Amino acid sequence: LFEVPDTDVSSLDIYIVATIPSFLSRQVTKLMAVNISGTFNYNEYGSLSIGVPVADFTMGVSGGNVQLYVTPSSSYATEYKVVVTQYSA
């Protein structure tokens, strides 16, 4: 859902709204991440949902980029809105 070069970021605050319209299901999730000299860590510090769970979110570093991954909970069409606050390195 999102990626940024790891050399450009010291930390991230991420807010995600995921919706499965056909199930009338919505989930909001907040994550925070920290990065320094090639060491990276993140934590999901809040999640709320209505209806069925919509998705799982994880983060990692691959190919020199910090990346936000999503694993949908179903094969139904899912809409994602992502707001990222990036703090420069």
Side-chain angles (χ1 to χ4, degrees), residues 3-81:
E3 93 175 356
V4 63
D6 65 351
T7 55
D8 291 351
V9 64
S10 62
S11 65
L12 297 163
D13 289 322
I14 301 171
Y15 180 80
I16 305 160
V17 178
T19 305
I20 303 174
S22 61
F23 284 170
L24 297 177
S25 296
R26 179 167 288 146
Q27 174 181 336
V28 294
T29 300
K30 286 191 168 193
L31 297 104
M32 62 182 166
V34 63
N35 181 53
I36 189 168
S37 298
T39 302
F40 174 81
N41 199 2
Y42 80 97
N43 188 39
E44 180 179 314
Y45 64 95
S47 188
L48 293 170
S49 61
I50 295 174
V52 300
V54 177
D56 288 321
F57 301 96
T58 57
M59 296 188 74
V61 177
S62 179
N65 293 311
V66 174
Q67 298 178 330
L68 172 63
Y69 305 103
V70 60
T71 304
S73 63
S74 76
S75 60
Y76 289 90
T78 305
E79 300 168 355
Y80 299 97
K81 295 179 183 178

